[in-house]
Every structure is written in structure tokens, then in C-alpha cells.
Amino acid sequence: MKRYFFAICSILFFISMLAFPQSAFQGAKTGLLLWFNTVLPTLLPFIIISNLLVHSSAIDVAARIISPVLCRFFKVTPYGAFAILTGFLCGCPMGSKVTADLLKKGALSKQESCYLLSFCNNTSPMFIISYVIWQNLKMPDQTAPLLMIVMLTPVLLSFVFRRIYHISGETSLWQKSGGSITSDAERMTLDGCIMNGFETITRIGGYIILFSILISYVKMIPAGPPFLTAVLLPSLELTFGAAMICSQALPKGTELILTLALTSFGGWCAAAQTRAMLQDTDIPFLPYIIEKLAAALVTSLFAYCYLMIR
């Protein structure tokens, strides 16, 4: 069933490109510029550096430095702490890539990897501040509380998800390896890290271009029900979605709740990018989607409470 659904969608997408070539061109151009001007210079350096860390003994040093705090708080191994730090600071899909890389190296168990993915693959703080809060919501005076709502939601949900995945805080992999799990045979050269980085960023760019083409077709649809234009269509991609929500004549409170919820979810384009990062692992994807939707729901509740007490 899944195979037939994908085949039908692919055929329809191909037909739409033949029927509306100008929209396809404009969407591809928009996606390519977004990738080249924003995603490439933002993510590529982090991908290369994370490759260097993961595939060298440097990760052992980094894990030792950050583990005293993060391991106790999140009940993870030192390598898991490194994935958390990357996922919270570097932006989606870096949390999923680092988690998948560490799982494939044997540095993380599948159980801990699923737990990490449930809360550490998030939108970067700089994007939230500059694009979401300042540029779209136009609420620079509320930067601190709004950023706290989005960033603290996955932290709080980690307490729920650790019970679901039965995380106890044991660090057996770290202890058995004597504090290091990177052998000489597993280390990647600088050239290898760079090439892997370009392969990853190109894959991300492909998803951005495809979703940008889809969005260009969506824009051709006449004005529909409010739920379609305020929730479903913006959820395709965060950059497009945040601008779309904030450009409508919505009450300011509704605009704030929907935008923060979308930021917490990340959009279906980010979900597709995450799926690409996990394709060589046995981490299930459906629970990740459910967990991100739960994060969006909790974020919207926190945003509503904030509006009530503001």
C-alpha cells in the first residue's frame, strides 16, 4: 500500500510539473536560493565539524566536558550528551544526523537513540530569534519568553519520553570502552568528512527544492478554509509557513500560538530531511513524527498560558 501511494504521488507530481512548468521553475528557484543563501552556509560548517568530532578521538574529549551536567539531567551516556548539545544548538536535522552517526558507530544503543531523537532534533535558537520572533512575529521585546517556550518544551517532554523508552541513565557503552569508542579504523579523514558533509547538505537541498515546488503549486489554490490556510499549508515548510501565518489577518494571539507550534514541529520538509538522515539505521520514523506533533501541541498550550498571564 505504501509503495503504491508513493508511486501515485510521484506520477501526480511529475504531471503537475509538465502542466505548470512556470510554477515548478519558480518553486525550484526559490528553494535553491533558500538552500544556497541560508542553509548551505549555516549547516555545512556544522556538518563537517560534527563529522570530524564523531569520527575522531575529539568526541571523547567533548563528551567528557559536557557529560557532567547533561548526563545527569537527561539520563544519557556522554555520547548522547553530545547529540543533545548538537541538536539544540545547530538546528534540524543535525540532531538526527549526529544521533544516527553515533548509532552506526556503536556509540549509542537503539533505545537511547530513539529517546534522543524524541526531543533533541530542534530548530536552532538563532533561526527562532532572527526569523520567527523578529522578522515574522515582530515581537523583539518578547524574545526571551518566546524562545524559552520553544526551547523548554522538548526539555520538559524528555522526562515523559524517558519513561516511554525506559531510560535509566546507565553508561555501559562508555564504561566498557574505557571512555573511548573510536578506533583507528573508524576514524574519517578530513577529506572524508568534507565529502560526507557535501553529500548530506545536497540531500537536504533536494528536499528543500521539492517542497518549494510543492509550495508553489499550493499558492495557486484559491483561498480555502481557515484550517487549510492557517494550519495545513504552513506546516509544509517552516520558513514559508511562518511567513504565511503572520501575513494573514489573524488575531495576534492566534498568530503567536500557531507560529510557535509550527516552529516546535519544524514542518514536513524538516521531517523528510530527518527521515533521510535515519535511512541507514533501524530507528523507526513514525514515533518521531508523533513526538514532534506532541511537542507542537505542548508548545501551543504554553503559548496560550503565556498570553493569559502576560
Side-chain angles (χ1 to χ4, degrees):
M1 185 66 182
K2 180 180 178 181
R3 182 180 63 181
Y4 289 116
F5 177 76
F6 181 78
I8 293 172
C9 289
S10 299
I11 293 172
L12 291 176
F13 198 80
F14 178 70
I15 294 174
S16 65
M17 291 182 66
L18 295 177
F20 307 102
Q22 186 61 34
S23 296
F25 172 79
Q26 189 60 43
K29 179 181 177 181
T30 302
L32 182 60
L33 290 176
L34 173 63
W35 174 79
F36 183 78
N37 292 325
T38 305
V39 179
L40 179 65
T42 302
L43 274 187
L44 182 59
F46 284 110
I47 294 174
I48 295 175
I49 295 301
S50 70
N51 284 338
L52 285 172
L53 290 173
V54 170
H55 296 284
S56 71
S57 58
I59 190 174
D60 302 323
V61 179
R64 287 184 183 277
I65 293 174
I66 63 177
S67 61
V69 175
L70 294 182
C71 287
R72 290 188 178 92
F73 188 83
F74 291 103
K75 304 299 182 183
V76 295
T77 63
Y79 290 115
F82 177 77
I84 292 173
L85 184 68
T86 306
F88 272 88
L89 297 183
C90 300
C92 181
M94 283 303 298
S96 60
K97 175 176 170 30
V98 172
T99 300
D101 287 344
L102 290 172
L103 174 62
K104 287 183 283 188
K105 279 174 58 67
L108 298 175
S109 65
K110 178 184 176 181
Q111 182 183 23
E112 184 178 4
S113 298
C114 293
Y115 166 60
L116 289 169
L117 192 64
S118 69
F119 71 94
C120 80
N121 192 44
N122 305 303
T123 307
S124 70
M126 287 308 301
F127 182 87
I128 297 172
I129 294 172
S130 61
Y131 185 77
V132 176
I133 299 177
W134 292 355
Q135 185 172 332
N136 285 283
L137 290 175
K138 295 179 172 56
M139 300 175 67
D141 56 321
Q142 303 296 316
T143 298
L146 298 186
L147 178 64
M148 187 176 299
I149 288 173
V150 178
M151 298 300 290
L152 282 184
T153 295
V155 174
L156 295 176
L157 284 177
S158 70
F159 290 91
V160 178
F161 296 144
R162 81 175 54 165
R163 291 184 175 274
I164 295 175
Y165 291 108
H166 305 290
I167 299 299
S168 61
E170 296 179 358
T171 57
S172 56
L173 286 172
W174 177 268
Q175 293 166 346
K176 290 178 181 178
S177 64
S180 176
I181 203 164
T182 303
S183 65
D184 292 336
E186 292 175 315
R187 293 179 184 177
M188 186 183 293
T189 64
L190 177 59
D191 286 345
C193 293
I194 293 174
M195 292 308 299
N196 178 270
F198 274 102
E199 178 185 350
T200 302
I201 201 69
T202 302
R203 186 181 299 173
I204 292 173
Y207 282 102
I208 292 175
I209 291 173
L210 288 177
F211 271 84
S212 294
I213 295 174
L214 179 60
I215 289 170
S216 69
Y217 293 145
V218 168
K219 290 181 178 179
M220 298 170 59
I221 301 175
F227 182 75
L228 177 69
T229 57
V231 179
L232 292 183
L233 299 186
S235 70
L236 290 175
E237 201 274 327
L238 176 55
T239 307
F240 157 79
M244 184 176 184
I245 292 173
C246 295
S247 65
Q248 300 180 53
L250 296 173
K252 192 63 179 179
T254 303
E255 176 184 291
L256 174 67
I257 292 173
L258 291 176
T259 303
L260 293 188
L262 174 60
T263 303
S264 186
F265 173 58
W268 292 107
C269 182
Q273 296 170 27
T274 299
R275 178 67 183 88
M277 299 299 107
L278 303 177
Q279 66 178 2
D280 295 328
T281 70
D282 57 352
I283 299 177
F285 183 62
L286 181 58
Y288 168 77
I289 292 297
I290 296 173
E291 289 151 2
K292 293 302 287 185
L293 290 174
L297 176 61
V298 173
T299 299
S300 64
L301 292 176
F302 284 161
Y304 176 78
C305 293
Y306 171 71
L307 291 173
M308 292 296 98
I309 64 176
R310 181 183 167 191

